[in-house]
Structures are given as C-alpha cells and as structure tokens.
Amino acid sequence: MMQAWLGFWRYGWKQEAVSRGVRALLALASVVLVGWWLGQTQALIPLLLGGIAGALAETEDTWRGQLRAQFTTLLCFALMALAVQSSLAYPAMLIAVLVLAAFGLTMLGALGERYRAIAFATLILAIYAALAAQSHDNAQTQLQTQQVFSVAQWQVLLLLAGAAWYALVSIVWAAALPMLPVQQSLARLYEVLGDYLQLKSRLLEPVRGVDLERRRLALALQNGRVVEALNLAKEYLFSRLGPGKAPAWLPNALHLYFVAQDVHERASSSHEHYDVLADAFFHSDVLYRSQRVLALQGKDCLALAQAIQQQGGSVHDGATARAMDDVAAAIRYIEAQPQPVGDDAQAPRPLRSLRALAANLGRLDEVLGNALTPQPEQLQADTSLLDRQPRTMAEAWRRMRAQLRLSSALMRHALRLSFALAAGYAVMQFADNSHGFWILLTIVFVGQSEYGATLTRLVQRVWGTVLGLVVGWALLRLFPGVLVQSAFSVMAGALFFATRHSSYTLATAAATSLVLLSFNQVGDGFDLIMPRLVDTVIGSVIAGLAVWLVLPNWQSRWLHRVAAQAVRTQAQYLREIMAQYQAGKQDHLAYRLARRNAHNADAALSNALSAVFKEPLSVRRNAAAGMRFLVLSHTLLNYLSALGAQRNTRLLLADDSAPARAAAGLLRALEAVAMALEARQALPVTESTEEGELQAALLHPLEESAPDAQRVLQAQLVLALRLLPQLREQAAALVLPRD
C-alpha cells in the first residue's frame, strides 16, 4: 500500500498541474499562517488576492528569468494599483483608467506569452485593488474620507506584499528545481506523440468502406496538439540556453527534443494514398502488421514519457522489434510471388510505397530506441533555437504597431474588452451594486478573442460559480471554525491553479469557494452568495454580448488567409527539403524552422476551423470547404514530411532533371494557390498541361543503379502534384461566397 502511494506521489509530482498547485499551496499557506500568528486576519484577503494575481502572471523560466519577470510584474502591479487607488473616489476617472488599461495591457500580448500573462494579471490586480478597498469601505462606513484613503493605501500595500511573496516562492522554486519544468514539457510532448502514432495506425487498417477523411481530420487535429507541445518544450529549453555554463542535463534534454521533432516528421509521413495500399494488399496481412508496429511505437512513446518523468531508462520488451521483423518477412513473401500484386499495371508503385513505409518504420524504431542513450555526435549537432521574443524596444514597438489595425484580432479583442468593462461599470453604477467589481472581474476572466472560446468560458464560469457557492455554503455550515475555513481557502487556491488550464469549471468553483471562505474572515460570507452569483451572470452576459456585437472576430472571415499561410509555409518547407537533397542531410536551424513553421500553420488552420464550428450559423461560411481543405493540406504536408524523413542520401540533381523541374513546378503552383487565397481569387481546378508532363517525366522508369532516395523523391513529388487539382478546387470553394 505504501509503495502504491509513493508511486502515485512520484507520478503526480512530475505533473505540471500538480507543480502549479504545490507552489500556490506553499505561498498561500505561508501567508495564512503568518497572518494568524501575527493576529492580522483582516489582512489575509488582500494578501491572498495579491498572491493569486502574482501567480496569474507567472510564466516558466530560469530563476534569473523569473527574477526579471517578477520585477517587471511588481512594477506593473504597483503602477496599476496606484492609478486605481487615486481614482476610486472619482467614477469617471476610474472607468477611464480601467478602459485604457484594458486596451493597453491587452495590446502587450503582441510581444509574447510572458507579456500576455503579465498584462492579464495586472488587469486582474487592478480590479482586486478596487474590490479590496471597496469591501473595506463598506465594512467601515463610519470612517472619515481621509481615513478611508489611508486604509485603501494599506490595502494596496498588502496586495503588493502578497504578489511579492508569491514572486519569491516562484524564484526559489525555479532555482531549486530547474530541470522539472523541462521534464514535464518533454514528457507531455512524448505523450501526445504517442497518441498521434496510435491515431496514425488507424489509417493503415486495410478495410474497405472506412471513412478515411474523418480519420485524417482527427489526425490533423491531434497534429495541432503535437505542435503545441513542441513549441512549449522549445520555449522551456530556450530559456535554459542563456549565457554561462549550461547544466549537465541540458544536452540530453535538447537531444530528446530533437528526437521528438524527428519522430514527428517521420510519424506525419505518408508514402501513398492509404486506400490504394488497402486495395493492393487486401489479401495480405502486411498492412495489419505495419499497423501493429505503428501502434506499438505509440506505446513506446508513452513509455518514453514515463521514463522521462521518472528519470529512468525506457523499458523495451522487444515487441516492436519482433513486429518489425514480421513486417519485413511479409514484404519478402509478397516480393517472392510470381505474379504482380494487384490486377493492374500500377502494382509496382504500391510495393515501392510499402517498402518506403517499412523503411520509415524501421528508422522510427531506431530513433525511439536511442532517445535516452544519445551518441556523442548527436549531442554535438546543431542545437540552436530561434528566439521569438523581442530583443529591443524598437522591435517591441514594431510588433505592437503591426497590430494597430482593425483587421487585427488582438486589437479587436482589446477594444471589445475595453467596451465590455465600461458597460459593466455602467451597470454597476446604475444598480448601485456594492459588490459590482465582481462583474468586471467576470468580464476579464470570461472575455476571449474568439466567440466560441468566450461562449465556452462563459458557461464554465457560471456553472463553476454555482458549484463553488454550493460547496462554500456547505463548508461554512459544516466548519464554522475560522482556522479550519482558512485551511480550506488555501486548498481551494491550490486547486484553482492546478486545474485552471485543464478544467476551468472546477477552477472557478475553487476560486468561488476561496472568496466565500476568505471574506467570511472579516464579515458574513453567507451575504456574498447571491451577489456573487448575480454579478457572475451579469458579467458573463456582458462578455457574451460584447464578443457577438462589438467588432466580432469571426474566424470564418479569415479562413482564406490562414489557409494561404499553411500553403506558403509548406512551399518553404519543400525548398529546404530540396536543398537538403542537394547538399546532404543537415538538421540545421533553417531546415527545422521551415518544418516547424509548416506544422505551426497547419495547426493554426485546424484551430481556426475548430473555432468556426463554434460560431453562429448565420455567420459561419465555407466551413465544409475549410475542413476538406485542411484534410488536403495536411495530406500534402504528410507527403512533404516523407520527403524530409528520407533525405539521408545526397542527390546531385541537375536543374533540368525531372525531380528538380517537378519540385520547381510544385513550388510555383503552391505559391499561386497561396496568392489566390490571400486575394480571394479562384484558380483553375483542372490539372495543367505542365503538371501532367512533369508527372509523366517522374513516372519514367529509372535505371537500376538509381538510388532508392531518388525513387522515393520522385514518387512523393508525383503524389503531391496529383493533389494539386483537389487543393485548388477546395481553395476556390473557400474564397467563394456561400450560396
């Protein structure tokens, strides 16, 4: 029993959500204990609210990076709290401060995730400052104006003290456990890769009548999760690559990241239409065996994720290697048959694709097998990563200025949030609501840049508030002791930070319970139940109406631009691949950047389409064409990934050779599709004469001495060229108005 609990604790300790919860537990519990020890229980509310705001501003970094970020955060907090405190007695000035802060702080999101988090937390702290001062004002109405302002200043200092204390906890945590966030991000990366491989294995099922398009769509959506995990791991690793001596574990962590990139490229490869393979090898078990290999490799990725978490070696039972031997034996049996596989003249093509698939699976197994035991030459490879953060004030201003246009989703969200806060404050003043700042707090938490995301957050916020009020009421009834209620409030705060990214309903319930329990320390928590519920509903309604009526950011209107970016980045990916075939395989920054940009654009398209299907039917346009375009675009990316995965052999291709001319023609076609999408113009959907000639040249039999890499190159270019008419057709459907 004890071993089971220890194993559960070791597993939970490695989870990012648990780490966030433990940090919050340490910070909030220490605040409560010190407050009780000093007999200053009335100071607990602003201290806890300040700590929560500080935790909302936290982003992952080294302790030095945390020190710089926390200093910036506290400076922003102090300036914002001072502005709110100075304007509390003047409603017009206060709403001007909140509106300008909402616009300016939201626009800071153009600089990156860190600045987005600091800006959001600063806006939250502004409302906390008003809320804390107002609650104290309501409790002590007999005080003179000068005395109240003195108390308000004290409340602000306590808010900043709570934020500063959490900052200290965060810095110490980062210094004590520098490797833990990287482990967590890498483990998460291999988990989603394992899921991707297992989803990909379903495409190899040789069963007729299967809805492959639906399976490809599910795979494209999962690819977005893989890309997100890759980007997160990259940011965590990049923050550790600063000046000074790198820690001993960093080269191995970088190797695991680059292995994951290699696995992703190989896993996303396609060497043939899967229905063609299913028809060609319908009477053989070779595809079932290949499917089993891919599924086992998905399990190997999950085992690797667990090994990263536990800092131990991955356990391989040899099942994948035996399955690979079975695939090789099945292919040898097919090759030994006297008659061609299938009934048509295209039988050799599926067999070549099957060999390429087996070779890719074999290489994938080798890469996974050596993930935890890298060779010295692998650790000395190019490990440079691109810094996407602004390096100078001029660059930061250029990024901000680029968003200062009404077509920018960020600026529309900033204007919408400002309007919603003004409307919320007007309702608060009109109703003479003593707890009205909770309306503004709800607007900030619920308001998102997209309609679907706001609607989802709105529903979660309301249901979470109801659940939190019920739980808080029960705790107040069952545990009237103030000390016990303080303990529950600390646990609620930890639960909020542990679940706010995974279950916002539960996180809202925890935050609501924390508010009831904390405010019960200085008054009657039962009196807050109905105001909290009513204000949450009012704030949610205002946020919902704002995202619908005020400069709505309908994703369906911008699908053509997102699709154009997906096609254009794939063209750049193809350029880098062809350069690799000419110069030899090199995993340098330019190649990895082109590959990542292509997958990022593919993920952006899938995310945009997910948002489209959450929009009202009255504004939803070309969603079906967008989904078909996504499937085709992702299929093209799969074909290019297969080219990238097979670039081990250097090919000296003349400019007038069939592969070079085909690649150039494919690049021109992709650029034309991207330009047509951006200009909302349709292209001819039929196959051009040039494309037909290029395919015929690629299908011309090669000499026996031709390297296998050239055969794969030509086969993949044929697949990509054959996809162009369908891609143009769906691009045309995407830019035309809906009937």
Side-chain angles (χ1 to χ4, degrees):
M1 186 66 177
M2 182 61 68
Q3 292 294 330
W5 276 106
L6 287 175
F8 177 76
W9 169 251
R10 282 196 296 266
Y11 175 77
W13 176 252
K14 300 295 184 180
Q15 303 302 307
E16 187 175 0
V18 175
S19 297
R20 288 195 300 266
V22 171
R23 282 200 300 276
L25 183 66
L26 290 174
L28 300 182
S30 56
V31 165
V32 170
L33 288 174
V34 171
W36 273 94
W37 182 53
L38 296 177
Q40 299 292 329
T41 55
Q42 288 192 345
L44 290 180
I45 292 178
L47 285 172
L48 290 175
L49 292 179
I52 290 172
L56 290 173
E58 183 185 34
T59 51
E60 179 50 47
D61 207 336
T62 62
W63 73 267
R64 292 184 180 87
Q66 287 283 17
L67 184 62
R68 292 190 296 268
Q70 294 294 351
F71 177 79
T72 303
T73 299
L74 290 175
L75 180 61
C76 292
F77 281 7
L79 293 174
M80 194 72 243
L82 180 62
V84 169
Q85 181 211 21
S86 302
S87 57
L88 266 176
Y90 312 99
M93 184 183 297
L94 179 59
I95 191 56
V97 168
L98 292 177
V99 166
L100 291 175
F103 179 81
L105 291 171
T106 302
M107 292 302 296
L108 278 179
L111 305 184
E113 182 61 33
R114 171 175 296 172
Y115 298 95
R116 190 178 301 117
I118 293 175
F120 174 74
T122 302
L123 194 56
I124 293 296
L125 184 118
I127 300 174
Y128 280 167
L131 184 63
Q134 187 192 52
S135 63
H136 206 291
D137 187 16
N138 293 334
Q140 301 188 19
T141 54
Q142 74 277 14
L143 294 178
Q144 298 297 321
T145 302
Q146 183 60 39
Q147 291 175 309
V148 172
F149 281 158
S150 178
V151 170
Q153 291 172 358
W154 178 243
Q155 297 287 313
V156 168
L157 289 175
L158 289 174
L159 279 171
L160 296 177
W165 175 246
Y166 187 89
L168 180 61
V169 171
S170 178
I171 293 168
V172 172
W173 181 280
L177 300 167
M179 185 180 177
L180 183 60
V182 176
Q183 279 182 291
Q184 292 168 344
S185 65
L186 289 173
R188 173 61 181 162
L189 172 56
Y190 279 94
E191 285 176 359
V192 294
L193 270 176
D195 294 338
Y196 183 88
L197 284 166
Q198 292 183 336
L199 276 175
K200 183 68 177 285
S201 69
R202 297 176 59 201
L203 294 178
L204 291 175
E205 190 175 13
V207 178
R208 292 169 180 165
V210 174
D211 190 352
L212 284 178
E213 183 169 340
R214 182 179 294 274
R215 294 187 177 184
R216 281 192 175 278
L217 181 58
L219 195 65
L221 295 176
Q222 179 64 22
N223 185 65
R225 300 183 187 98
V226 175
V227 171
E228 181 182 356
L230 278 166
N231 290 337
L232 184 64
K234 178 256 178 184
E235 293 302 324
Y236 283 10
L237 286 165
F238 184 82
S239 66
R240 270 76 182 172
L241 290 174
K245 184 179 180 181
W249 52 265
L250 186 57
N252 286 323
L254 282 167
H255 171 71
L256 283 169
Y257 170 72
F258 292 132
V259 165
Q261 283 193 326
D262 194 2
V263 169
H264 184 218
E265 184 173 55
R266 294 184 179 280
S268 59
S269 300
S270 292
H271 296 85
E272 183 57 274
H273 292 289
Y274 291 105
D275 51 354
V276 173
L277 293 177
D279 290 339
F281 304 108
F282 184 76
H283 299 288
S284 171
D285 65 352
V286 66
L287 288 184
Y288 278 117
R289 295 185 183 279
S290 301
Q291 181 188 34
R292 181 168 180 266
V293 169
L294 206 52
L296 287 172
Q297 289 173 339
K299 291 182 179 179
D300 289 341
C301 277
L302 297 177
L304 190 55
Q306 187 175 3
I308 293 171
Q309 287 178 326
Q310 298 176 354
Q311 291 183 283
S314 181
V315 178
H316 295 282
D317 57 6
T320 307
R322 290 192 296 271
M324 277 300 309
D325 292 339
D326 293 342
V327 170
I331 293 177
R332 287 195 299 271
Y333 177 80
I334 293 172
E335 291 173 335
Q337 299 305 302
Q339 299 296 327
V341 179
D343 299 327
D344 58 16
Q346 296 298 320
R349 192 186 99 195
L351 185 56
R352 288 196 301 269
S353 300
L354 182 63
R355 293 194 193 104
L357 170 63
N360 192 41
L361 291 175
R363 179 56 184 158
L364 186 56
D365 189 49
E366 293 177 13
V367 170
L368 287 173
N370 297 327
L372 292 176
T373 56
Q375 301 300 317
E377 62 272 12
Q378 293 174 313
L379 294 178
Q380 296 169 6
D382 182 5
T383 58
S384 54
L385 298 174
L386 179 67
D387 184 8
R388 295 183 181 272
Q389 298 294 330
R391 301 178 183 179
T392 63
M393 291 296 294
E395 183 180 352
W397 169 241
R398 282 196 298 271
R399 292 194 186 187
M400 290 273 291
R401 188 173 57 186
Q403 298 295 326
L404 293 174
R405 46 189 172 82
L406 279 181
S407 60
S408 165
L410 183 63
M411 183 169 175
R412 295 166 81 92
H413 176 53
L415 292 171
R416 189 185 311 120
L417 183 59
S418 302
F419 176 85
L421 285 176
Y425 191 78
V427 170
M428 168 185 163
Q429 293 294 316
F430 178 79
D432 194 21
N433 189 342
S434 60
H435 300 287
F437 284 105
W438 283 340
I439 296 175
L440 307 186
L441 198 65
T442 299
I443 290 172
V444 175
F445 273 108
V446 169
Q448 307 292 309
S449 62
E450 296 174 358
Y451 174 85
T454 301
L455 204 63
T456 301
R457 184 62 64 90
L458 184 154
V459 173
Q460 292 172 338
R461 183 80 179 182
V462 172
W463 281 114
T465 300
V466 172
L467 177 60
L469 291 174
V470 171
V471 172
W473 173 85
L475 292 175
L476 290 176
R477 286 291 187 184
L478 294 173
F479 304 97
V482 180
L483 184 59
V484 177
Q485 291 176 10
S486 297
F488 276 118
S489 66
V490 169
M491 288 188 286
L495 181 61
F496 169 74
F497 285 104
T499 59
R500 73 186 185 99
H501 293 301
S502 57
S503 177
Y504 189 71
T505 300
L506 182 57
T508 301
T512 303
S513 298
L514 183 149
V515 167
L516 284 185
L517 294 168
S518 298
F519 276 80
N520 195 58
Q521 311 286 314
V522 295
D524 188 357
F526 293 101
D527 293 340
L528 299 179
I529 293 178
M530 286 308 298
R532 175 77 176 188
L533 179 59
V534 172
D535 290 344
T536 297
V537 172
I538 293 174
S540 297
V541 169
I542 292 174
L545 290 175
V547 79
W548 182 28
L549 300 175
V550 182
L551 297 174
N553 184 35
W554 305 124
Q555 289 296 304
S556 55
R557 295 179 180 174
W558 317 112
L559 269 182
H560 63 286
R561 294 184 181 177
V562 185
Q565 183 64 13
V567 175
R568 177 161 284 118
T569 54
Q570 289 184 27
Q572 182 58 32
Y573 185 26
L574 176 59
R575 286 192 188 92
E576 290 294 333
I577 290 172
M578 295 305 297
Q580 294 272 302
Y581 275 101
Q582 290 281 42
K585 180 179 179 180
Q586 291 181 335
D587 283 326
H588 50 57
L589 180 60
Y591 177 80
R592 288 186 278 108
L593 182 60
R595 178 175 60 189
R596 185 164 68 247
N597 287 342
H599 282 283
N600 282 341
D602 183 77
L605 180 57
S606 66
N607 291 336
L609 282 164
S610 297
V612 166
F613 278 93
K614 296 178 182 178
E615 294 175 351
L617 289 173
S618 59
V619 301
R620 194 184 301 171
R621 296 184 179 91
N622 303 324
M627 296 304 288
R628 290 191 293 270
F629 186 92
L630 171 63
V631 171
L632 292 170
S633 173
H634 189 71
T635 301
L636 177 60
L637 183 57
N638 293 159
Y639 295 155
L640 298 182
S641 295
L643 279 177
Q646 301 287 347
R647 58 195 161 90
N648 297 310
T649 304
R650 182 180 180 184
L651 300 175
L652 298 177
L653 301 172
D655 293 340
D656 60 347
S657 64
R661 290 189 294 110
L666 180 58
L667 283 171
R668 288 193 299 272
L670 293 177
E671 290 289 353
V673 171
M675 292 176 63
L677 282 167
E678 288 178 342
R680 300 186 71 91
Q681 297 175 349
L683 285 170
V685 300
T686 57
E687 183 178 272
S688 67
T689 304
E690 180 191 13
E691 290 167 8
E693 293 174 351
L694 292 174
Q695 291 183 46
L698 291 172
L699 292 172
H700 191 274
L702 293 172
E703 299 179 359
E704 291 293 331
S705 59
D708 290 339
Q710 184 169 348
R711 300 180 189 277
V712 171
L713 173 61
Q714 296 194 182
Q716 295 302 121
L717 288 173
V718 168
L719 291 173
L721 288 169
R722 287 177 176 174
L723 200 65
L724 285 176
Q726 300 175 62
L727 195 69
R728 282 193 288 259
E729 180 181 1
Q730 296 310 317
L734 198 58
V735 299
L736 292 178
R738 187 182 60 180
D739 294 333

